[in-house]
Amino acid sequence: MKIDDEFTILRVQENGKRLIYLDNAATTQHPRSVLDRVVRYYTQDNANPHRGVYDLAQRATDAHETARKRVARFINAKRSEEVVFTQNCSEALNLVAVGYGMEHIGEGDEIVVAVSEHHSSMVPWQRVAKAKGAVIRYLYPDKNGRYTEKEIREKITPETRVVAIAHISNVLGIVNPVRLIAEYAHKAGAIVVLDCAQSISHIRVDVQELDVDLAAFSGHKMYAPMGVGVLYGRSDLLRSMEPMLCGGDMISEVHEGSYSWADVPRRFETGTRNVGGEVGLEAAIDFVERIGRDRIAEHEERLMEIALAGMRKLDHIDIYGGDEGRKGVISFNVRDVHPHDVATLMDSEGIALRAGHHCAQPLMEYLGIGSCCRISLAVYNTEDDIRTFLGVLSEVRRWMGLGS
Ligand SMILES: *Cc1c(COP(=O)(O)O)cnc(C)c1O
C-alpha cells in the first residue's frame, strides 16, 4: 500500500502550495479504505440495527456488533460488551462523569485530575464536584511535562474516588505513567478514567496492561470518520453506571409506572447509532494494523526527532515539555510573536497547524501562557513536511520584523 494514494486530500493545494497537514491531534485525514468501507455500508447494508427481523436490518446489526468486537480486540478488552459506542471522546467522558460520578461520588470525596487534561476530561468532573460537594485535586507536571511518582503519591489519598488522566496530553505530548497512577489509585480504592484520544493513533493502548477501569477515545483522531467514539469500561463497573440519555433501544422494559435498563453496553447506546461511523472505525483499525502500530510509531518517532532537533537549534523558540517520552505532538511559541500570527504565516505556506489554548486553559495558566502553537503528526507525514515546516519556522521572526 502506498500511503500517499490512500489520502487524496493531501494532494489539495493550499494558497498555491502543497498542503502540509500538521494538525492531526485535532483530527486526522481518512484513507480511501475507510471511505470505501463507509460507502459500502451505506450502499449495501444500511438499516436501523437491533430493530428489524428482515435480512438487511440483520446485516446492519451485524456490522454494528462486528465493529464493536474489532474495537475490543484492538484495545485488548476482555469482552466486546466492554465497548460502548459514543459520538466522540467528549461524550464518553461525560457519560462516565454522569453515569458513575453523579451516582458514586459524595460530599468530601476527592477527584484527582491532571492539570494538563483536555477540557473534556476536566470540566465534567468539575461539574460533578460542584453538584456533589466533592473536591478536585490537581496533578501538576514537572518542567519536562512529567507527572512524578512523588506528585502522584501526594495527590492520591484514601479519599480519592476517581483519577482522570490522559494517556498523552494533547499539548505536552508526553506519555503519562498510567500504570503507576493506576497502582496508586487502586490501592486507594479509586478508579482510573483514561483519556486516550491522543495515544490511540500513536502507541499501543492495551486497557488490561495499563490496568485502567474506563477509557475513552474518538475515531476521528485515528483515521476514522467524525461522529464515532468509544468508551471502554470493565463490565462490572459499567453495570454500576446509569445511562446519560434515556429512550429508544436502551431499556429492557417500560410500563406506565416503571422501567428497567437494558444490559451493558446497550444501556448507554440510546437511539439510532452511527453504524456508518462504526464500520469506518473498524476499517481505520484495519488500516492501522495493516501498516503495523510499531511501524507507525517508528516512522513518527523519526519525524519527531527531526522536528525537535531542528526546533532546538533555533533561537527564540519555547517548547512546552521535554523531549523524552514525547509522542505525536510538539507545542511551542515563537518569542514575541502571537501564535495566531505564526499559524497565519504557516498557512500562507500551505502548512496547517494549530494555535490557541487547545481546550486546555488550566494548563495554559499553569505554564503562564495564553496560548501556543502545536504541530502534530500522523502516518502520512514525511520528512519533507517537517523540513518545510522548520524552514518556515526559522523565518517567522524575520517576517514579523523582529530580526532572526
Ligand atoms: C481531542 C481530544 C479530546 C476530545 O475529543 P472529541 O473528539 O473532540 O470529543 C479529549 N481529550 C484529548 C486529549 C483530546 O486530544
Side-chain angles (χ1 to χ4, degrees):
M1 169 180 50
K2 252 193 101 226
I3 288 181
D4 279 14
D5 294 340
E6 286 271 319
F7 294 89
T8 324
I9 197 169
L10 298 176
R11 296 188 196 135
V12 167
Q13 299 266 312
E14 289 292 319
N15 295 315
K17 303 270 167 51
R18 178 176 73 86
L19 168 66
I20 296 179
Y21 187 75
L22 295 174
D23 195 17
N24 295 288
T27 198
T28 51
Q29 303 302 341
H30 306 96
R32 184 179 300 272
S33 60
V34 166
L35 301 175
D36 286 349
R37 188 63 213 285
V38 175
V39 170
R40 200 166 83 220
Y41 170 76
Y42 279 114
T43 49
Q44 295 178 18
D45 298 324
N46 180 54
N48 205 323
H50 296 313
R51 286 201 182 72
V53 291
Y54 50 91
D55 193 53
L56 188 63
Q58 194 52 52
R59 291 210 299 280
T61 305
D62 288 348
H64 176 57
E65 294 304 333
T66 304
R68 191 193 309 281
K69 286 189 190 113
R70 189 79 178 93
V71 171
R73 272 213 317 280
F74 187 62
I75 59 173
N76 194 28
K78 273 196 195 127
R79 308 177 188 86
S80 63
E81 70 189 35
E82 295 180 325
V83 170
V84 178
F85 283 119
T86 62
Q87 282 185 62
N88 51 39
C89 184
S90 301
E91 190 196 329
L93 293 168
N94 273 271
L95 171 52
V96 174
V98 172
Y100 185 87
M102 290 295 189
E103 291 303 308
H104 301 295
I105 287 179
E107 190 152 350
D109 285 348
E110 295 180 0
I111 304 167
V112 172
V113 179
V115 80
S116 53
E117 289 309 287
H118 187 283
H119 294 164
S120 293
S121 175
M122 180 184 286
V123 184
W125 295 113
Q126 290 176 327
R127 185 160 73 154
V128 169
K130 195 165 157 192
K132 296 289 170 177
V135 178
I136 299 208
R137 285 164 63 93
Y138 290 98
L139 288 174
Y140 298 105
D142 68 10
K143 66 179 191 325
N144 289 317
R146 300 182 158 271
Y147 290 100
T148 62
E149 181 158 5
K150 179 168 177 286
E151 177 69 4
I152 294 162
R153 191 173 51 230
E154 281 173 13
K155 295 292 164 67
I156 298 177
T157 75
E159 266 50 70
T160 308
R161 296 287 171 271
V162 172
V163 181
I165 182 86
H167 200 178
I168 298 178
S169 144
N170 61 315
V171 177
L172 297 171
I174 310 289
V175 181
N176 288 326
V178 175
R179 255 201 85 105
L180 184 70
I181 289 171
E183 218 174 278
Y184 277 97
H186 292 153
K187 249 189 282 171
I191 61 160
V192 178
V193 186
L194 184 70
D195 174 352
C196 42
Q198 288 302 329
S199 56
I200 195 77
S201 75
H202 299 298
I203 57 176
R204 198 169 291 280
V205 174
D206 179 327
V207 290
Q208 291 191 63
E209 193 185 305
L210 291 167
D211 200 19
V212 293
D213 304 283
L214 297 149
F217 64 92
S218 285
H220 70 92
K221 292 181 182 181
M222 56 162 297
Y223 314 107
M226 290 184 180
V228 64
V230 167
L231 173 66
Y232 155 82
R234 267 181 16 230
S235 29
D236 57 320
L237 198 58
L238 287 180
R239 288 202 173 90
S240 79
M241 284 169 52
E242 290 285 300
M244 183 159 65
L245 301 172
C246 314
D249 217 34
M250 54 71 71
I251 37 105
S252 156
E253 279 185 48
V254 190
H255 306 286
E256 286 191 7
S258 66
Y259 56 79
S260 54
W261 305 143
D263 197 3
V264 300
R266 275 177 79 174
R267 176 185 308 178
F268 305 108
E269 295 180 346
T270 312
T272 301
R273 311 311 302 171
N274 177 7
V275 183
E278 293 161 10
V279 301
L281 176 57
E282 183 187 344
I285 292 173
D286 289 342
F287 169 78
V288 164
E289 294 201 328
R290 210 155 57 231
I291 301 173
R293 275 196 273 190
D294 295 340
R295 250 184 80 201
I296 293 176
E298 263 168 50
H299 171 70
E300 291 179 355
E301 196 125 320
R302 200 170 57 82
L303 299 186
M304 178 62 77
E305 274 169 26
I306 297 169
L308 279 171
M311 291 171 79
R312 296 274 183 215
K313 261 195 234 144
L314 299 174
D315 292 329
H316 311 294
I317 305 278
D318 294 318
I319 296 176
Y320 303 107
D323 294 0
E324 206 182 311
R326 184 183 282 280
K327 303 283 174 199
V329 168
I330 306 175
S331 295
F332 64 96
N333 269 316
V334 181
R335 250 172 253 162
D336 310 316
V337 184
H338 195 280
H340 284 161
D341 290 334
V342 177
T344 305
L345 277 169
M346 289 282 172
D347 180 48
S348 69
E349 296 297 311
I351 301 170
L353 60 71
R354 184 51 81 79
H357 57 59
H358 312 286
C359 300
Q361 278 183 324
L363 176 63
M364 298 292 117
E365 283 166 8
Y366 179 71
L367 294 171
I369 55 177
S371 56
C372 61
C373 302
R374 177 185 72 190
I375 60 164
S376 49
L377 305 174
V379 63
Y380 39 71
N381 289 126
T382 62
E383 210 175 302
D384 201 38
D385 291 353
I386 301 302
R387 298 215 184 276
T388 307
F389 158 73
L390 288 170
V392 177
L393 187 64
S394 70
E395 294 290 326
V396 166
R397 278 178 54 93
R398 201 173 52 76
W399 276 332
M400 297 299 293
L402 290 165
S404 66

